[in-house]
Amino acid sequence: QSALTQPPSASGSPGQSVTISCTGTSSDVGLYNFVSWYQQYPGKAPKLMIYDVTKRPSGVPDRFSGSKSGNTASLIVSGLQAEDEADYYCSSFAGGNTIVFGGGTKLTVL
Amino acid sequence: QVQLQESGPGLLRPSETLSLICDVSGYSIGTAYQWSWIRQSPGRGLEWIGSVYRNTLIYYNPSLKSRVTISADASKNQFSLNLRYVTAADTAVYFCARTEWNPDFWGQGILVTVTS
């Protein structure tokens, strides 16, 4: 069970769009449509932003969206705002009732 | 609204056993969902430790399975984590979380430090 691969950092200017990738394998991301994305501020618990690849929980701005192609899932943040500066993590169901996380991406709003 | 709260010792010596409890309110843990333990250390990011479902079905991360025990107490609406023979590498913030296919509601986390 290997961790999912995320870029360590990403950045964009206010109003721009940023895409964060999450690459797994044909045993996790590629096999199941159960990928979630979390936003985490320092010292806080992760907050669910996207689940089941594309779904948004109530209260999450529609600027946040998700997609998947093959073994790679993506989080797209449109219309970047200063408050979006945070760490973002992906997770995937990996079969056998196990879960695997990505290493995290630090999003900087320039 | 589901709420989860971790509790337990924050400081351990090497070779001791880490014991944490997660108190759940707003949902009965025996009804549905898996209930998970997850940890986060600076060098290793988020790591799923294991989950319990319907109080009796338990699933572990293969890398930790030999040292971990997760259990649930439906009468108290809480579930627990025991991690044996801890080392400095087990120093982390430990979270409990409600889980469907992935975690949705998380506790605030508790920092556990292992030091001699």
Side-chain angles (χ1 to χ4, degrees):
Chain A
Q1 188 184 58
S2 299
L4 306 177
T5 300
Q6 296 181 236
S9 63
S11 63
S13 299
Q16 289 186 331
S17 293
V18 169
T19 298
I20 300 171
S21 62
C22 170
T23 301
T25 69
S26 57
S27 298
D28 40 60
V29 175
L31 185 58
Y32 302 101
N33 287 323
F34 299 126
V35 176
S36 292
W37 289 92
Y38 304 91
Q39 178 189 65
Q40 186 180 35
Y41 294 114
K44 299 296 186 181
K47 174 188 175 183
L48 182 66
M49 304 300 283
I50 297 288
Y51 67 101
D52 295 355
V53 179
T54 62
K55 299 175 183 176
R56 257 189 326 273
S58 173
V60 173
D62 60 6
R63 302 184 294 103
F64 291 85
S65 61
S67 67
K68 191 185 86 166
S69 177
N71 296 337
T72 298
S74 297
L75 173 70
I76 304 98
V77 186
S78 306
L80 267 177
Q81 299 182 5
E83 67 208 49
D84 299 334
E85 185 162 297
D87 293 328
Y88 291 84
Y89 293 88
C90 61
S91 70
S92 175
F93 182 75
N97 286 288
T98 64
I99 297 166
V100 62
F101 285 95
T105 298
K106 182 176 181 59
L107 175 60
T108 300
V109 180
L110 301 170
Chain B
Q1 180 82 334
V2 180
Q3 292 186 314
L4 302 95
Q5 177 70 59
E6 304 88 352
S7 62
L11 188 63
L12 291 172
R13 305 291 187 194
S15 81
E16 291 184 332
T17 296
L18 180 160
S19 296
L20 298 176
I21 289 174
C22 181
D23 284 294
V24 180
S25 59
Y27 195 91
S28 174
I29 66 170
T31 301
Y33 295 99
Q34 294 188 25
W35 302 87
S36 300
W37 288 100
I38 298 151
R39 68 182 183 179
Q40 184 172 31
S41 56
R44 299 176 68 175
L46 289 166
E47 182 178 30
W48 175 75
I49 300 170
S51 303
V52 56
Y53 175 68
R54 292 275 175 110
N55 303 320
T56 56
L57 296 177
I58 303 170
Y59 311 100
Y60 296 122
N61 185 323
S63 68
L64 295 168
K65 186 175 182 178
S66 64
R67 297 194 292 133
V68 173
T69 301
I70 292 174
S71 61
D73 187 337
S75 67
K76 296 180 179 180
N77 214 38
Q78 63 184 204
F79 59 107
S80 64
L81 168 69
N82 280 348
L83 178 64
R84 297 175 291 278
Y85 306 113
V86 297
T87 70
D90 295 311
T91 293
V93 176
Y94 286 77
F95 296 98
C96 57
R98 191 182 78 167
T99 299
E100 191 167 24
W101 301 105
N102 285 290
D104 51 12
F105 288 97
W106 297 62
Q108 65 184 25
I110 182 169
L111 173 63
V112 178
T113 302
V114 180
T115 180
S116 56

